[in-house]
Amino acid sequence: MEFALGLLSVTPKELEELGWSFVDRKRLLDHFLGSGKAAQGVAPEVLGQTLIKLRFPPRDVARLQRFARRALSKAASNAAMLDGVLRVLDSVV
């Protein structure tokens, strides 16, 4: 969720610096929305420890890696979450 909130917090200037359009950001958020629907069936007390599968096209994985390294670190309040996201993104490329 924090990753998706980070995407929402990106300013138009930062989107431009990332080489993204608003359509790109919406598409990425739609991927997170789809995974959120899958998470709805998980009990709240175990949700924090549950791995939720995300499916992204390879071009979007590269975009998310760039975002996580450049912009998310400014928005993320949870460094462990950021490290985990980067570790997963790096493993799929």
Side-chain angles (χ1 to χ4, degrees):
M1 179 58 112
E2 193 164 350
F3 202 92
L5 291 173
L7 280 171
L8 285 171
S9 71
V10 176
T11 67
K13 182 177 188 258
E14 290 169 326
L15 279 177
E16 184 179 330
E17 290 171 1
L18 287 164
W20 293 6
S21 67
F22 284 101
V23 173
D24 293 326
R25 178 170 60 183
K26 182 186 180 315
R27 186 182 64 256
L28 294 169
L29 285 167
D30 286 344
H31 291 303
F32 282 102
L33 179 62
S35 69
K37 289 179 182 176
Q40 288 178 346
V42 178
E45 60 274 3
V46 296
L47 187 58
Q49 296 83 32
T50 303
L51 292 177
I52 305 295
K53 186 177 279 191
L54 296 171
R55 296 185 189 268
F56 293 98
R59 70 176 180 173
D60 287 339
V61 170
R63 286 182 167 169
L64 289 170
Q65 285 174 313
R66 198 166 48 248
F67 167 71
R69 288 191 173 88
R70 289 181 70 183
L72 189 59
S73 59
K74 299 174 195 169
S77 61
N78 184 341
M81 180 277 305
L82 178 58
D83 290 342
V85 166
L86 284 170
R87 191 171 40 258
V88 169
L89 289 171
D90 290 342
S91 72
V92 295
V93 189

